[in-house]
């Protein structure tokens, strides 16, 4: 909390659940009392108009009943209130109230009371104007140099300036190039209007130029300039400030030069009358309102600036002179005179906190206690210094990109997958050709130790799996309380998924406004995507996994797929993938080998992964930590290459059809132009069967578009199958060469660099570039290979022969003792991931 606070002289809370903005506050002697005491006029978006005359008996005392002079409820929201000489024949002050479709001018008067109820105040409608367009804001002043009265200019939401000479409407003009309304102020000295357009530039328009410009009867200004009479509306001067403005103020005091102040989103500008910058101040916070006022030093101007950190700052030109803490974020600020107290600061928040305050300080009464003198133990100091130096040295060794997770997180997300499938399946719109598509329930629980708001839970599952609902929003989560939701997961696409691991992410903000993210992963059961069947002996693709432990009964590994008792010895199991082929698992009775076989190579992946995972869980429960799996080889690269060729062929066909579709679209537009030209001709020539050609081309376009869409769907399925086979190849290479987890992660980054496949950047060229980097660095045979430079531009290859050659070469180098690492032998510390990222970035730049 700041020592310098805005001392509360008087405050009030206006209404309940009402909203206010910068135009809703005005300060003036609106009842023409002549005492020099200002009144506070406040309008709200709920339609309430209130007038206050604060006079607390003690500083800081709350609102009294007699402080509220008047409160009326209007039918429509109040956008802006202004006080000026708005009624003809008199120079008394009147109140102008701007509403979305109406401008009303009232007189405020008070009647002396003869009893204890006090004085009575009332407003009387003098005149009103019904607006044809929705209003945004208004400004007033002696337009054209008139004496003794104020005219009103209203800016509409569509960019029209409507001028009112008190009781009568004068004219309307459209601002050129208008897109969005900005702040608007009138400059009496230059007789011009200053605004900030949506182009982020300050524009000034002379009143005389506006008066003689083209009449704005319609919104199409250019057509009016061609048809009607009058001159084109041009700006007197334009200044580009590069940001949107929050407010504008015109300052012209006796001892200061004329200035135009503009409050931007990040800067504070002071302009001369001709649009040149006198000075500017870069703000290190987000401002909310401002008010320039007279300074005690000649030639300078003081400015009050409120920001979203509940601070009110005082600047003398560009120098910060004072900073005070406010209890709210001000959206409007004024300076008023009350009861012989001049310079009271009036602030209003968007929720209706109205406060009159002055600057002051709260002295600190805290006194530091005396420190007891004691002898210094230098040995303990040296020991403590060495310990601190050790901690600092260890902390500087790690160069983590992400910060370390705290011991106790602010928010915890937990996922619990139901051990059994749903009794009634929740699958809807599934394309799986099966009688019954099962579903499983996943329950998510959110616990927090802080009060967080608008927490968003997003759930993601692999392609071809679907959720009953993938996003939840909690508007408020109390500390110590938990929020739980449940969703069902089912197989929706007619293709096996590449993985059975889902991810859940929660985004939230702490009470201090810091955005945070918490996430957790969950593993779905294999029973969700396959059913138990009788084993099959025939299979085209077979894999054999060796272990270093005695054979395990398959009942202990796959209890969901076996209905026999626990005492039965099961050595063979059959799996029917709901969107794939049959897979058979056989366990040897005498040796420690397990065989997985299927009609399709990619369908082996899910069963292989589940087998290895169940092995690890089973032996971990038994307390055995030295369990290992191995693969004797050879790696089935030819089966893998067939899937690569299928995927590449679909990519080439898709590109061919897209080019053909582009050609037919160009032809279709050319025929349309020819037909349109002939239809517009006064003496049209014969069509010469152009209509027949147009109809035929249209049929070709729709037919090719349907074929392209079908090809893209087939390509997506082929990419998912290729990713499943790639996962299998990575696992087999890791078991074959007994690679560590770090080396397996390098293989995954090499073979799976893309989450999505596309024509501009596809799987083949990305993997080929990553493989070339590995073969050039950590798997190189000589320094000559390390000196080879890779091309920085990735493009779709002509065929897959080079890619298959590099994959084969990778396996050969690993078989001969090569090992994967993040740096080459030459000592370069450029990782594989960073190299792949730089190549991808270069491709994007080259395409642009």
């Amino acid at each position: 909390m700041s020592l310098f606070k805005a001392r509360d002289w008087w405050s009030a809370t206006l209404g309940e659940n009402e909203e206010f903005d910068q135009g809703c506050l005005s300060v003036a002697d609106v009842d023409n009392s002549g005492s020099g005491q200002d009144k506070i006029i406040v309008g709200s978006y709920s339609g309430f108009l209130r007038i206050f005359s604060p006079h607390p008996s003690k500083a800081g005392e709350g609102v009294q009943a007699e402080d509220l002079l008047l409160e009326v409820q209007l039918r429509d929201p109040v956008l802006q209130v202004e006080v000026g000489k708005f009624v003809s024949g008199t120079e008394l002050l009147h109140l102008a109230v701007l509403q979305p479709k109406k401008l009303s001018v009232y007189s405020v008067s008070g009647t002396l009371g003869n009893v204890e109820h006090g004085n009575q105040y009332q407003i009387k409608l003098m005149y009103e104007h019904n607006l044809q367009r929705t209003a945004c804001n208004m400004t007033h002043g002696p337009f054209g140099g008139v004496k003794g009265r104020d005219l009103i200019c209203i800016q509409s939401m569509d960019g029209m300036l409507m001028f009112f000479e008190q009781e009568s409407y004068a004219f309307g003009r459209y601002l050129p190039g208008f897109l969005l309304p900005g702040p608007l102020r009138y400059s009496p000295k230059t007789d011009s209007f200053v605004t900030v357009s949506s182009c982020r530039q300050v524009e000034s328009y002379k009143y005389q130029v506006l008066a003689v410009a083209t009449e704005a009867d319609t919104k199409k200004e250019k057509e009016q300039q061609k048809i009607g009479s009058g001159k084109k509306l041009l700006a007197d001067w334009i200044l580009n400030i590069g940001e949107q403005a929050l407010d504008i103020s015109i300052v012209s005091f006796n001892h200061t030069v004329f200035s135009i102040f503009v409050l931007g989103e990040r800067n504070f500008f002071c302009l001369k009358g001709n649009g040149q910058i006198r000075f500017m101040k870069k703000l290190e916070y987000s401002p909310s309102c401002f008010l320039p006022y007279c300074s005690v030093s000649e030639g300078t101007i003081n400015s009050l600036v409120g920001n979203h950190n509940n601070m009110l700052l005082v600047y003398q030109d560009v120098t910060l002179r004072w900073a005070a803490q406010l209890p709210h974020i001000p959206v409007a600020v004024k300076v008023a005179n009350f009861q012989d107290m001049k310079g009271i600061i009036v602030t209003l928040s968007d929720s209706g906190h109205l406060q009159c305050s002055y600057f002051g300080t709260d002295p600190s009464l805290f006194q530091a206690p005396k420190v007891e003198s004691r002898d210094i133990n230098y040995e303990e100091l040296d020991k403590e210094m060495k310990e601190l130096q050790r901690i600092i040295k260890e902390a500087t060794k790690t160069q983590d990109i992400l910060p370390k997770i705290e011991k106790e997180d602010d928010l915890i997300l937990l996922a619990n997958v139901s051990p059994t499938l749903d009794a009634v399946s929740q699958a809807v719109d599934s394309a799986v050709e099966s009688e019954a598509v099962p579903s499983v329930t996943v329950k998510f629980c959110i616990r927090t130790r802080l009060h967080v708001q608008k927490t968003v839970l997003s759930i993601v599952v692999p392609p071809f799996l679907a959720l009953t609902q993938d996003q939840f929003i909690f508007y408020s989560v109390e500390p110590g309380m938990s929020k739980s939701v449940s969703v069902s997961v089912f197989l929706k696409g007619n293709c096996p998924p590449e993985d059975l691991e889902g991810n859940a992410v929660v985004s939230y903000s702490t009470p201090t406004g810091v955005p945070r993210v918490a996430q957790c992963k969950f593993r779905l059961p294999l029973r969700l995507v396959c059913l138990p069947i009788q084993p099959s002996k025939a299979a085209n693709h077979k894999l054999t996994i060796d272990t270093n432990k005695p054979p395990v009964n398959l009942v202990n590994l796959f209890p969901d797929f076996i209905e026999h008792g626990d005492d039965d010895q099961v050595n063979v199991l059959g799996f029917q993938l709901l969107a794939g082929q049959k897979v058979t698992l056989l366990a040897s009775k005498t040796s420690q080998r397990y065989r997985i076989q299927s009609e399709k190579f990619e369908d082996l992946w899910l069963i292989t992964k589940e087998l290895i995972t169940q092995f690890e869980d089973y032996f971990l429960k038994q307390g055995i930590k030295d369990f290992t799996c191995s693969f004797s080889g050879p790696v089935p690269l030819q089966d893998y290459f067939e899937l690569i060729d299928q995927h590449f062929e679909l990519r080439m066909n898709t590109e061919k059809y897209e080019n053909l579709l582009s050609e037919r679209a160009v032809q279709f537009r050319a025929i349309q132009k020819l037909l349109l030209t002939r239809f517009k001709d006064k003496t049209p020539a014969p069509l010469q069967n152009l209509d027949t050609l147009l109809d035929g081309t249209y049929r070709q376009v729709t037919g090719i578009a349907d074929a392209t869409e079908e090809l893209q769907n087939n390509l997506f399925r082929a990419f998912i199958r290729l990713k499943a086979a790639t996962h299998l190849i990575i696992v087999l290479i890791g078991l074959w060469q007994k690679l560590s987890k770090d080396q397996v992660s390098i293989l995954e980054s090499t073979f799976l660099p893309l989450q999505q496949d596309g024509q501009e950047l596809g799987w083949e060229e990305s993997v080929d570039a990553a493989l070339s980097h590995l073969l050039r660095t950590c798997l190189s045979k000589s320094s000559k290979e390390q000196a080879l430079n890779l091309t920085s531009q990735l493009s779709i290859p002509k065929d897959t022969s080079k890619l298959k050659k590099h994959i084969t070469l990778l396996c050969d180098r690993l078989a001969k003792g090569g090992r994967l690492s993040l740096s080459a032998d030459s000592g370069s510390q450029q990782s594989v991931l960073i190299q792949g990222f730089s190549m991808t970035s270069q491709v994007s730049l080259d395409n642009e």
Side-chain angles (χ1 to χ4, degrees):
M1 201 64 171
S2 173
L3 172 67
F4 304 100
K5 303 176 183 178
R7 306 298 300 272
D8 186 7
W9 182 71
W10 178 89
S11 61
T13 302
L14 311 181
E16 295 181 359
N17 299 325
E18 296 186 37
E19 294 184 10
F20 304 83
D21 207 346
Q22 62 180 2
C24 298
L25 176 65
S26 183
V27 172
D29 186 15
V30 67
D31 60 342
N32 301 283
S33 62
S35 61
Q37 181 175 346
D38 292 329
K39 312 299 185 300
I40 302 176
I41 304 101
V42 183
S44 75
Y45 286 168
S46 299
F48 286 93
L49 179 66
R50 300 179 178 91
I51 301 178
F52 292 92
S53 177
H55 48 280
S57 58
K58 296 180 180 179
E61 187 178 355
V63 61
Q64 304 295 323
E66 59 270 17
D67 294 344
L68 181 60
L69 304 182
L70 182 68
E71 179 177 6
V72 294
Q73 183 176 10
L74 307 178
R75 181 175 300 178
D76 299 320
V78 177
L79 303 180
Q80 191 173 345
V81 290
E82 296 288 347
V83 178
K85 304 173 184 179
F86 300 134
V87 178
S88 60
T90 178
E91 294 189 6
L92 296 177
L93 297 179
H94 289 77
L95 176 63
V97 179
L98 179 64
Q99 295 173 286
K101 289 290 186 179
K102 185 188 297 185
L103 171 65
S104 305
V105 175
Y106 300 93
S107 67
V108 181
S109 59
T111 304
L112 295 176
N114 296 324
V115 291
E116 65 274 8
H117 298 302
N119 301 337
Q120 297 179 359
Y121 285 81
Q122 60 184 358
I123 60 172
K124 178 182 179 183
L125 179 64
M126 304 304 294
Y127 62 88
E128 65 180 11
H129 294 287
N130 292 319
L131 308 178
Q132 300 297 323
R133 290 173 172 81
T134 304
C136 176
N137 51 23
M138 67 174 175
T139 184
H140 67 280
F143 304 163
V146 297
K147 303 293 184 180
R149 57 175 181 164
D150 291 328
L151 309 185
I152 298 176
C153 173
I154 298 176
Q155 180 181 206
S156 66
M157 296 296 290
D158 57 353
M160 182 179 178
L161 298 183
M162 296 170 284
F163 293 87
F164 297 90
E165 294 183 355
Q166 296 183 341
E167 290 87 350
S168 61
Y169 172 75
F171 57 89
R173 299 291 183 266
Y174 273 106
L175 293 176
F178 180 85
L179 183 62
L180 293 173
L184 179 69
R185 287 292 182 271
Y186 172 72
S187 172
K189 185 173 183 179
T190 59
D191 193 24
S192 58
F193 294 86
V194 182
T195 185
V196 178
S197 66
S198 57
C199 299
R200 298 183 175 183
Q201 55 190 14
V202 185
E203 301 177 356
S204 176
Y205 298 92
K206 292 283 188 180
Y207 178 73
Q208 295 298 332
V209 176
L210 291 168
V212 300
T214 305
E215 179 67 27
D217 293 332
T218 65
K219 293 183 66 176
K220 298 180 180 180
E221 180 187 356
K222 293 183 179 180
E223 294 183 6
Q224 283 295 324
Q225 291 174 359
K226 294 179 181 178
I227 300 174
S229 62
K231 296 182 179 180
K232 183 179 180 181
L233 182 57
L234 297 175
D236 184 32
W237 53 263
I238 294 176
L239 175 67
N240 192 343
I241 60 175
E243 60 181 317
Q244 194 57 41
L246 301 179
D247 200 1
I248 299 175
S249 182
I250 310 295
V251 176
S252 179
F253 300 120
N254 294 330
H255 64 280
T256 58
V257 293
F258 172 76
S259 302
I260 300 172
F261 283 84
V262 180
L263 179 65
E265 295 174 333
R266 285 295 176 186
N267 294 280
F268 180 58
F269 302 90
C270 178
L271 312 179
K272 299 179 182 179
N274 57 0
Q276 297 179 356
I277 296 180
R278 176 171 283 115
F279 63 81
M280 65 174 289
K281 172 69 176 177
K282 184 175 179 61
L283 305 177
E284 298 179 354
Y285 48 81
S286 180
S288 60
C289 62
F290 86 128
L291 177 69
Y293 67 97
C294 184
S295 174
V296 294
S297 300
E298 187 173 353
T300 62
I301 300 175
N302 284 6
S303 302
L304 289 171
V305 181
N307 62 21
H308 285 82
N309 297 330
N310 295 20
M311 296 292 292
L312 192 62
L313 308 166
V314 181
Y315 288 93
Q316 187 176 36
D317 288 345
V318 295
T319 305
L320 180 63
R321 294 300 186 186
W322 195 268
Q325 189 83 27
L326 287 175
H328 59 264
I329 299 176
V331 297
V333 58
K334 301 289 183 183
V335 176
N337 299 325
F338 301 118
Q339 292 185 347
D340 298 330
M341 293 191 65
K342 296 183 179 181
I344 292 292
I345 301 172
V346 183
T347 55
L348 176 68
S349 72
D350 59 350
S351 59
H353 189 163
L354 179 64
Q355 177 171 313
C356 298
S357 55
Y358 58 92
F359 290 148
T361 60
D362 285 332
S364 176
L365 302 179
F366 173 76
Q367 293 182 355
K370 294 182 180 180
V371 179
E372 296 181 0
S373 60
R374 57 187 176 87
D375 295 334
I376 300 176
N377 190 337
Y378 291 100
E379 294 181 358
E380 292 182 358
L381 288 179
D382 291 340
K383 185 178 180 181
E384 184 180 0
M385 178 64 71
K386 291 179 180 179
E387 179 67 19
L388 292 175
Q389 288 177 348
R390 185 189 63 82
I391 295 174
I392 294 172
K393 188 175 181 180
E394 291 181 356
T396 54
K397 284 181 180 179
T398 59
Q399 298 179 356
D400 299 334
I401 298 176
L402 298 176
K404 294 184 179 180
I405 301 176
E406 298 177 358
K407 294 182 179 180
E408 185 178 1
D409 293 337
D410 297 334
L411 185 141
I412 299 176
L413 173 63
L414 300 175
N416 183 19
V417 182
S418 175
T420 59
L421 299 178
D422 296 338
V424 178
S425 177
Q426 302 297 319
V428 292
D429 299 333
S430 179
V432 181
E433 298 176 358
S434 178
E435 295 181 359
V437 179
S439 64
V440 66
T441 299
V442 183
K443 184 179 180 180
F444 298 93
C445 181
I446 298 175
R447 291 200 300 267
T448 176
R449 61 185 185 89
L450 300 175
H451 179 76
V452 295
Q453 292 184 345
K454 200 170 184 181
T455 305
V456 180
L457 170 63
S458 300
I459 311 165
V460 180
V461 292
F464 297 113
L465 292 177
L467 296 157
T468 53
Q469 187 174 349
D470 59 356
Q471 191 176 74
F472 297 88
I473 299 178
F474 308 100
Y475 291 96
S476 179
V477 181
E478 298 295 334
M481 303 296 290
S482 62
K483 295 283 186 179
S484 300
V485 294
S486 298
V487 297
S488 293
V489 187
F490 58 92
L491 182 63
K492 188 172 184 179
N494 194 14
C495 180
E498 58 166 310
D499 200 358
L500 291 177
E501 190 176 74
N503 192 14
V505 180
V506 169
S507 61
Y508 64 98
S509 296
T510 61
T512 58
V514 179
R516 292 285 179 85
V517 171
Q519 62 178 351
C520 72
K521 294 183 178 180
F522 56 94
R523 191 174 70 184
L524 298 170
L526 182 64
R527 190 70 169 78
L528 185 66
V529 295
C530 65
L531 300 173
I533 59 167
Q534 291 296 325
S536 176
K537 296 182 179 180
N540 294 329
H541 306 279
K542 300 178 182 179
L543 296 176
T544 302
I545 305 296
D546 296 333
T547 63
N548 63 343
K549 297 299 176 184
V552 181
N553 189 359
L554 296 183
V555 174
N556 299 326
L557 300 180
F558 299 93
D560 296 341
F561 292 85
I562 301 173
E563 298 180 356
H564 302 284
D566 294 337
D567 297 334
D568 296 339
Q569 183 71 22
V570 179
N571 296 324
V572 60
L573 278 178
F575 305 89
Q576 173 63 58
L577 295 175
L578 294 178
Q581 299 295 324
K582 297 179 181 178
V583 183
T584 303
L585 173 62
L586 299 96
S588 176
K589 297 180 180 180
T590 57
S591 62
Q592 303 166 358
R593 295 186 173 184
Y594 300 84
R595 173 174 292 178
I596 308 107
Q597 57 187 26
S598 176
E599 293 295 329
K600 286 188 176 182
F601 178 70
E602 64 271 17
D603 289 346
L604 297 173
W605 160 239
L606 289 178
I607 308 302
T608 304
K609 181 183 180 183
E610 189 70 17
L611 176 64
I612 296 175
T613 304
Q614 293 298 333
F615 271 143
E616 294 174 352
D617 294 343
Y618 175 77
F619 286 106
L620 187 62
K621 292 179 182 178
Q622 299 293 328
I624 301 174
K625 298 182 179 180
D626 60 344
F627 167 77
T628 58
C629 293
S630 61
F631 178 69
S632 59
V635 179
L637 292 180
Q638 294 303 322
D639 300 332
Y640 183 51
F641 291 161
E642 291 180 3
L643 291 172
I644 294 177
D645 291 335
Q646 293 174 10
H647 175 262
F648 184 74
E649 183 180 359
L650 284 173
R651 278 191 68 190
M652 299 301 292
N653 291 337
T654 303
E655 184 181 23
K656 186 187 302 181
Y657 269 76
E658 288 179 352
N659 294 335
L660 185 60
L661 180 62
S662 177
E663 294 176 1
R664 290 296 180 270
V666 172
Q667 177 181 330
F668 184 73
R669 288 192 294 270
I671 298 172
Q672 281 184 320
K673 290 180 180 179
L674 286 175
L675 282 174
L676 186 61
T677 302
R678 297 201 176 182
F679 288 148
K680 285 186 175 181
D681 195 357
K682 294 183 179 179
T683 58
L687 295 179
Q688 297 177 349
N689 296 324
L690 283 177
D691 54 344
T692 306
L693 185 59
L694 181 69
D695 183 65
T697 306
Y698 174 74
R699 295 179 184 275
Q700 289 182 359
V701 169
T702 54
I704 296 173
D706 294 339
T708 305
E709 184 178 2
E710 184 178 357
L711 270 175
Q712 289 177 347
N713 294 333
N714 294 336
L715 179 62
F716 180 70
R717 285 193 290 268
F719 182 61
I720 298 301
R721 291 196 296 268
L722 178 61
K723 290 178 70 175
T726 304
H727 280 294
L728 181 59
I729 289 294
I730 293 172
V731 169
L732 293 180
I733 294 176
L735 297 178
W736 176 43
Q737 293 298 321
K738 297 180 176 56
L739 301 180
S740 63
K741 289 185 179 181
D742 293 337
Q743 294 175 341
V744 172
S745 64
I746 294 176
L747 275 183
E748 291 177 350
S749 303
T750 303
F751 281 93
L752 296 170
L754 302 176
Q755 293 295 328
Q756 293 182 351
D757 193 26
Q759 292 298 110
E760 294 183 358
L761 181 63
W763 182 85
E764 285 81 5
E765 54 266 30
S766 302
V767 174
D768 189 35
L771 286 171
S772 301
H773 176 74
L774 286 180
L775 296 173
R776 188 175 63 88
T777 54
C778 59
L779 296 180
S780 62
K781 297 175 63 177
S782 62
S783 59
K784 181 183 289 187
E785 290 186 0
Q786 294 184 8
L788 295 176
N789 292 325
L790 294 176
T791 176
S792 60
Q793 183 175 1
L794 297 184
S795 59
I796 184 170
K798 296 181 180 180
D799 52 35
T800 58
S801 59
K802 185 179 178 182
L803 173 63
K804 291 187 286 189
K805 178 182 177 182
H806 287 166
I807 295 176
T808 306
L809 192 58
L810 173 74
C811 295
D812 292 342
R813 297 278 175 90
L814 290 175
K816 293 178 181 178
R819 283 297 175 260
L820 301 171
S821 64
L822 294 180
S823 61
D825 295 338
S826 58
S828 63
Q829 296 297 324
Q830 194 170 16
S831 69
V832 177
L833 298 179
I834 296 176
Q835 179 76 13
F837 177 76
S838 63
M839 290 180 180
T840 306
S841 304
Q842 184 66 35
V843 171
S844 303
L845 293 175
D846 292 338
N847 289 336
E848 292 177 0

